[in-house]
Amino acid sequence: MSALRIAPFTASPALDPARRPAPDALTDQAARWAEHVLRTARHLPPVYVTRKALDAVAFSLRHGLRRLAVPTKLVGVAAHQPAVEALARSHRLPRALRPRLVVSRTRRAEGGPERLAVLAPQPDRTLAPLGYVQPKHVAWLAPLLGAGGGSAETDGPHPPAASVHLVEVTGLGRRERGLPVTLGVNVRIEPATPDVTQREPRTAPAVLAVRLWRDADGTARMSCPHLVRHSPSGPEWGYRGSGPADCARSVLIALVDEPTADAHYQAFKDEVVAVLPETGAIIQRTAVLAWLAGRAEAPAQTTTPRTA
């Protein structure tokens, strides 16, 4: 089983509230997106998925988006420069009016790996290829493109659960200075499936991480509620005992759900909470999901309240 990665506690500067459109909704969507990616793209390390989820939240906030958008760039655009040149005219449009692109499943050869081609609508209603979604994103994006292997523009009983939008054509500044350049295409992917971003409300909102720290007098604190079972005096970590047991259970409830917490918190206490640094840590949701996945083959032992 791979070790759970725990980040040391660091403080982050607060964002200006005026620049945060529905941040709670965005972080909830990011947590669900990360869960979907971990389930469908197992080749991606949990640390990368966490970083990408946080980047998506920051990007969405920076651009004033109400829905989570995952930024990325297309590959293979060098072969389609005329279409990219035509797309560059969209830079004069407000971001909200820039064209929604079309994604189509394809394979380079029979039996080869699936690729996701990205195309731009043309004035004559044809589609011009621009390039491809990066291969590392195909595994999680392809399941969101609807049934039957259609495109992200398909209408019907199984509408697509993700859309791809132009962000910018890169390299225009170099071209204006007369320098040789191959134009690139940056896009944003908006996953919109109920399975990823719009599930029914849960008993507790999905969060990306739980922070553990100590006050000046050494009192242990958590960014999630302390749900008392073993230690009325408060949570703890860095050893095995009642306080760490409550810490483990409270963290798992905050990051996953109560049934999962009750099944695994004693093991989580022993393997993770007991070895945390005394000063504190940030426990990432994607890291916890990866830890749970590593235990999937072992039968879960549901615990009953007892002295930890």
Side-chain angles (χ1 to χ4, degrees):
M1 183 188 306
S2 59
L4 179 67
R5 295 174 179 260
I6 305 294
F9 175 75
T10 54
S12 300
L15 295 174
D16 179 1
R19 299 178 59 190
R20 295 188 299 179
D24 291 342
L26 288 174
T27 55
D28 183 73
Q29 291 172 27
R32 300 183 192 283
W33 173 80
E35 182 178 355
H36 167 77
V37 174
L38 286 173
R39 186 172 62 250
T40 57
R42 297 182 180 274
H43 64 287
L44 295 177
V47 171
Y48 169 82
V49 177
T50 298
R51 186 172 68 248
K52 194 68 176 177
L54 294 173
D55 287 346
V57 171
F59 175 89
S60 303
L61 289 169
R62 187 165 61 249
H63 293 284
L65 302 174
R66 296 287 178 178
R67 284 194 339 200
L68 183 75
V70 181
T72 186
K73 64 180 179 180
L74 301 184
V75 296
V77 297
H80 306 289
Q81 289 293 288
V84 177
E85 290 270 3
L87 192 65
R89 303 189 190 99
S90 300
H91 272 252
R92 300 186 181 92
L93 299 175
R95 190 175 302 276
L97 298 180
R98 292 179 186 176
R100 176 177 172 178
L101 306 177
V102 174
V103 183
S104 179
R105 295 178 174 184
T106 182
R107 295 182 188 274
R108 178 173 293 175
E110 184 69 26
E114 183 174 35
R115 299 196 299 174
L116 299 180
V118 179
L119 307 97
Q122 302 297 297
D124 61 0
R125 297 188 178 184
T126 60
L127 295 173
L130 298 171
Y132 298 90
V133 173
Q134 293 183 56
K136 62 185 176 183
H137 296 308
V138 171
W140 68 263
L141 179 55
L144 304 183
L145 296 180
S151 77
E153 288 288 309
T154 302
D155 294 320
H158 300 285
S163 56
V164 178
H165 302 261
L166 173 68
V167 173
E168 64 177 342
V169 174
T170 61
L172 294 176
R174 287 180 56 87
R175 190 182 65 177
E176 290 174 357
R177 296 195 299 272
L179 300 175
V181 63
T182 298
L183 298 180
V185 179
N186 289 349
V187 300
R188 71 179 195 269
I189 303 170
E190 294 186 0
T193 175
D195 289 337
V196 178
T197 62
Q198 298 175 7
R199 289 180 180 173
E200 291 299 316
R202 306 184 340 166
T203 55
V207 295
L208 289 176
V210 169
R211 296 182 178 185
L212 310 178
W213 75 98
R214 294 188 184 276
D215 289 342
D217 62 1
T219 302
R221 303 292 186 188
M222 303 188 297
S223 62
C224 66
H226 171 213
L227 303 176
V228 179
R229 171 167 287 189
H230 301 285
S231 178
S233 61
E236 264 296 349
W237 57 82
Y239 63 94
R240 293 175 175 84
S242 298
D246 268 13
C247 176
R249 183 171 179 270
S250 298
V251 167
L252 289 178
I253 289 175
L255 296 179
V256 191
D257 55 47
E258 188 168 0
T260 300
D262 286 340
H264 296 285
Y265 79 93
Q266 290 288 355
F268 191 71
K269 175 198 71 176
D270 293 339
E271 297 180 18
V272 178
V273 175
V275 298
L276 292 177
E278 183 181 0
T279 53
I282 298 176
I283 302 179
Q284 300 167 339
R285 184 169 188 259
T286 49
V288 170
L289 293 174
W291 178 83
L292 289 168
R295 292 178 55 80
E297 295 183 0
Q301 297 179 351
T302 303
T303 61
T304 55
R306 62 178 175 86
T307 301

